[in-house]
Amino acid sequence: KQEVTQIPAALSVPEGENLVLNCSFTDSAIYNLQWFRQDPGKGLTSLLLIQSSQREQTSGRLNASLDKSSGRSTLYIAASQPGDSATYLCAPLLGSSNTGKLIFGQGTTLQVKP
Amino acid sequence: DAGVIQSPRHEVTEMGQEVTLRCKPISGHNSLFWYRQTMMRGLELLIYFNNNVPIDDSGMPEDRFSAKMPNASFSTLKIQPSEPRDSAVYFCASSPWAQGGYTFGSGTRLTVV
């Protein structure tokens, strides 16, 4: 059974800091891994999708890396802003040739203080 | 594209009543997923469909829960009878193919009193 662990569970930092959020998963046979953001009381917004053949993906101030063999992914947030405050969820995708399902970690709740 | 559309946004019902949640996936997406989110258990996959066919319903908690996808543009999740412990936010997501990127709806917040 795939287990996903995110560290830290919560993080509070002053504005402008560079951050690293960690995700580990037990089953390395994944197709891809997706990072999401969830604001309080809202749905999930996809941030980055990394295919299993890729090592990293970048979007603006966000960079996500994937090391499938060790079962790890990191989300790097550069120059954090108060608007980055949210819960960040890591979700590797398990599946076979024609099926797939995302398994979620519990998330890292980030607070960026002005 | 309007994204994944869920209705209703909020539902308050009495214990024992039937509840039906609805989802319209993104046009052209072949995979559809129902998740439940609670503080205690986080996001749990309930069931998913490929090309309107249920592939894995192992996450459906009890026989009180059922899901259907009669066509590519509509799915329902039904709870009958509902219980207070079913209170949660229910999300629907769709993907262009089984291993594609997921897009989530805004969720339905269900409260059973």
Side-chain angles (χ1 to χ4, degrees):
Chain A
K1 178 185 175 185
Q2 177 75 287
E3 293 185 4
V4 182
T5 302
Q6 291 190 244
I7 295 174
L11 187 61
S12 181
V13 300
E15 182 177 5
E17 281 204 3
N18 300 324
L19 309 170
V20 176
L21 308 183
N22 297 294
C23 171
S24 62
F25 44 95
T26 54
D27 187 343
S28 62
I30 64 171
Y31 273 78
N32 59 46
L33 185 143
Q34 207 163 350
W35 281 92
F36 294 87
R37 166 185 174 141
Q38 186 174 29
D39 293 282
K42 303 293 186 182
L44 281 72
T45 300
S46 179
L47 298 174
L48 291 164
L49 170 65
I50 313 176
Q51 299 296 339
S52 61
S53 57
Q54 297 175 318
R55 296 300 298 265
E56 65 180 285
Q57 278 286 341
T58 298
S59 176
R61 294 183 294 109
L62 304 180
N63 175 277
S65 67
L66 174 64
D67 184 342
K68 213 176 98 167
S69 61
S70 67
R72 295 185 180 188
S73 177
T74 60
L75 178 66
Y76 178 81
I77 303 176
S80 58
Q81 302 171 359
D84 295 331
S85 299
T87 296
Y88 290 82
L89 294 155
C90 160
L93 189 140
L94 294 177
S96 61
S97 60
N98 64 346
T99 66
K101 58 184 180 181
L102 283 179
I103 306 299
F104 283 87
Q106 290 284 13
T108 293
T109 298
L110 171 65
Q111 183 184 32
V112 181
K113 299 177 181 177
Chain B
D1 194 328
V4 176
I5 300 173
Q6 291 187 245
S7 64
R9 291 297 304 275
H10 302 275
E11 177 81 32
V12 180
T13 191
E14 290 185 348
M15 182 173 63
Q17 295 298 306
E18 177 180 296
V19 176
T20 300
L21 311 181
R22 297 173 176 79
C23 175
K24 176 178 169 56
I26 292 174
S27 177
H29 281 196
N30 294 324
S31 298
L32 183 140
F33 310 83
W34 283 100
Y35 282 83
R36 178 172 69 175
Q37 186 176 40
T38 60
M39 288 292 293
M40 289 294 294
R41 302 172 68 93
L43 274 159
E44 302 173 283
L45 178 65
L46 300 177
I47 185 171
Y48 78 94
F49 297 83
N50 272 1
N51 296 314
N52 312 338
V53 176
I55 300 300
D56 184 348
D57 65 354
S58 60
M60 297 286 261
E62 300 172 36
D63 291 345
R64 299 184 295 106
F65 287 70
S66 63
K68 294 182 179 179
M69 191 164 186
N71 57 62
S73 60
F74 184 66
S75 177
T76 59
L77 177 67
K78 185 177 293 186
I79 308 172
Q80 166 63 19
S82 58
E83 297 182 3
R85 59 196 170 115
D86 302 330
S87 298
V89 181
Y90 291 80
F91 287 104
C92 175
S94 70
S95 178
W97 58 88
Q99 294 91 25
Y102 284 35
T103 300
F104 278 76
S106 299
T108 294
R109 182 174 297 274
L110 173 65
T111 303
V112 183
V113 298

